Amino acid sequence: MSQSTTDRSPSGERHAAGRGGPLAHVLLNIALAALFTALFVRAQALPSSMWEPLGSGSFPRLVLAALVALNLAIAFKEARAFLRQSPGERGQVGAWIWRHRLAFAVLALFAVYIIALPWLGFSLASLAFLLAGQWLLGARSLKALAIAVVVALVFSLGVDTLFRDVFVISLPRGLFG
């Protein structure tokens, strides 16, 4: 019994088997639109010079605005395709999300790490991220937790010391540094 290499979506489009369907495209394009929106806001703070009447952030903001519009258009199109799917096909999406829950959890943990980095500083944020990540990935026994603590200490404090003393690059210190 062979599995076909392509599937048809309700809109008649062909998707490769095993690839993300409309919901995956919606989520990806919304995430990209959010990222490009954040970059759009940050581009306003680019320094300007007297030689650039529109400012140095004008071209990046134009490109980012176009990317946001494109991603939102794709997300809207794929959301319509997802809503046209049968309930059985939508149930497969939930099963796919459940199978990949660990990847989503690590991604969410990384997002929290990036947000906390300016406030906690590199060492403390990295220590917490590495400990939580190792626990999330299965370090539950006393031996595994001890190894996780050693790894987290070496990589958070060690990398900070390496960058500060060897490369002479200051990583974020945070409110407690």
Side-chain angles (χ1 to χ4, degrees):
M1 171 183 323
S2 70
Q3 187 177 11
S4 69
T5 57
T6 59
D7 297 326
R8 285 204 179 267
S9 70
S11 62
E13 297 174 355
R14 296 172 64 96
H15 295 286
R19 304 266 180 171
L23 184 60
H25 293 160
V26 168
L27 295 175
L28 173 67
N29 282 288
I30 288 175
L32 287 173
L35 172 68
F36 295 146
T37 300
L39 291 174
F40 180 88
V41 171
R42 296 283 310 258
Q44 185 175 7
L46 289 173
S48 61
S49 71
M50 61 186 225
W51 308 109
E52 300 170 273
L54 295 176
S56 59
S58 60
F59 182 72
R61 291 182 73 173
L62 175 67
V63 170
L64 290 166
L67 287 172
V68 168
L70 180 66
N71 285 120
L72 291 177
I74 293 171
F76 179 73
K77 175 185 170 275
E78 292 294 330
R80 288 180 53 211
F82 175 71
L83 293 175
R84 285 191 301 261
Q85 286 182 330
S86 68
E89 289 174 316
R90 288 187 202 154
Q92 292 174 357
V93 171
W96 180 86
I97 291 171
W98 179 253
R99 280 193 314 271
H100 295 87
R101 67 188 179 279
L102 189 58
F104 289 124
V106 171
L107 186 60
L109 182 63
F110 183 69
V112 169
Y113 168 70
I114 294 300
I115 291 169
L117 192 61
W119 288 290
L120 296 177
F122 179 82
S123 295
L124 192 56
S126 295
L127 179 68
F129 171 72
L130 290 169
L131 285 173
Q134 291 181 78
W135 181 83
L136 186 65
L137 294 173
R140 301 287 196 290
S141 69
L142 186 58
K143 180 181 177 183
L145 288 172
I147 292 170
V149 167
V150 170
V151 167
L153 285 171
V154 166
F155 280 98
S156 62
L157 300 176
V159 169
D160 186 48
T161 302
L162 175 71
F163 271 79
R164 185 180 57 245
D165 296 340
V166 176
F167 299 134
V168 192
I169 297 173
S170 180
L171 296 174
R173 293 271 146 233
L175 299 175
F176 304 112

